[in-house]
Amino acid sequence: MEIDLTAEVGHGLGEAATAADDVLWPLISTALVPCGVHSGEPVSMLRACSEAVTRKAAIGAAIGYADRVGRGERFVDYDPDDLAATIIYQLGALDGLALAEQARVTCVRPGGALFEAARTDRNHAWAVVNAVLDYDPGLTIIGLPESRLLQTAERNGLAVAREYQPHRLLNANGSLGAVVTDPDVVARRAVDAVASGAYDCIRLPWHSAAERVCAQAVHAALVEAGHCVRSPAGPAQPELPVHLALAGSGTPA
């Protein structure tokens, strides 16, 4: 069975961020890159796009609230139209940097507090969907199964990917709960989830060194179980806009 492994990379140029990326890059098939308003900066975003192309990984936009102080982890009571505009801004920024590497953004995943808000909040879920509809309806939206975000996306004809987080327990209300840091437990949960066929992608834990050990355990367990780690979008080199394709071929635009 093919399964997409995702994680956030390209948060910054500091030693800690670079060390985290070095662990994650060999494990993932889709690189979720923060788009600069809650984390990430142009240079780190561009380097992440370049690395994704080199490793034949898909590029996804890790969108969030415009809150660098809180790193996107605090809920912001946005007007839906304002939030949609902020998301379009993020998509355009990352996609432009990806184009510089002759690649394109293929999927979108809310991060931090926006991920939880879009799970249940009608207005914020719609803002994400509305932004994708306006920017590029071909993008896949990643979220939790049965979330309002994915329900809204599907009703509006967008492709969705159902995410499983093997390092997070679920609360009774469906929200993400406690973090699990036992590598064997996390790996077993991931293998069981893939075997169920109920999920399209596995989000690897990455925040701490202990979580990144779990990420390595998940990758190893899935490969050992015979699964193929691959993004459904394929390598991060989908069809380019006509003017760029012609420029690359040497044909006058």
Side-chain angles (χ1 to χ4, degrees):
M1 183 178 296
E2 291 185 352
I3 188 66
D4 189 14
L5 297 188
T6 76
E8 288 191 19
V9 291
H11 280 271
L13 303 175
E15 183 176 344
T18 301
D21 287 356
D22 288 345
V23 174
L24 294 168
W25 276 115
L27 310 177
I28 59 178
S29 47
T30 293
L32 298 173
V33 184
C35 300
V37 302
H38 71 285
S39 184
E41 53 189 296
V43 174
S44 65
M45 292 161 64
L46 181 61
R47 289 186 180 179
C49 291
S50 176
E51 188 71 17
V53 171
T54 298
R55 293 180 178 272
K56 300 189 184 314
I59 298 174
I63 59 173
Y65 293 128
D67 176 22
R68 291 193 69 89
V69 174
R71 298 188 65 81
E73 298 296 335
R74 305 182 297 190
F75 175 78
V76 179
D77 191 14
Y78 264 102
D79 172 86
D81 288 340
D82 291 346
L83 179 56
T86 301
I87 294 170
I88 292 171
Y89 173 85
Q90 295 176 69
L91 295 175
L94 182 60
D95 203 28
L97 292 168
L99 281 170
E101 298 297 327
Q102 297 192 17
R104 299 298 304 272
V105 170
T106 61
C107 59
V108 180
R109 184 194 184 275
L114 179 56
F115 185 81
E116 175 58 24
R119 183 182 67 83
T120 58
D121 186 279
R122 180 188 304 273
N123 289 331
H124 286 210
W126 169 243
V128 175
V129 170
N130 191 26
V132 171
L133 287 170
D134 282 349
Y135 185 79
D136 181 359
L139 297 177
T140 298
I141 295 182
I142 299 174
L144 295 177
E146 309 303 325
S147 64
R148 186 176 291 277
L149 173 62
L150 294 198
Q151 292 171 354
T152 304
E154 289 184 304
R155 283 200 302 269
N156 285 274
L158 297 178
V160 302
R162 301 161 297 168
E163 176 184 274
Y164 183 72
Q165 299 190 28
H167 60 296
R168 298 292 297 273
L169 302 178
L170 290 180
N171 297 319
N173 64 0
S175 62
L176 294 171
V179 175
V180 181
T181 56
D182 184 321
D184 292 336
V185 173
V186 174
R188 184 169 62 251
R189 285 166 56 86
V191 171
D192 290 345
V194 173
S196 74
Y199 302 95
D200 304 299
C201 60
I202 301 293
R203 178 173 173 82
L204 296 178
W206 58 270
H207 284 91
S208 67
E211 289 186 355
R212 292 190 288 275
V213 171
C214 291
Q216 292 172 315
V218 168
H219 183 277
L222 289 172
V223 171
E224 184 178 351
H227 300 300
C228 176
V229 176
R230 182 180 184 276
S231 168
Q237 296 176 311
E239 184 177 354
L240 295 174
V242 172
H243 70 285
L244 288 178
L246 291 175
S249 69
T251 304

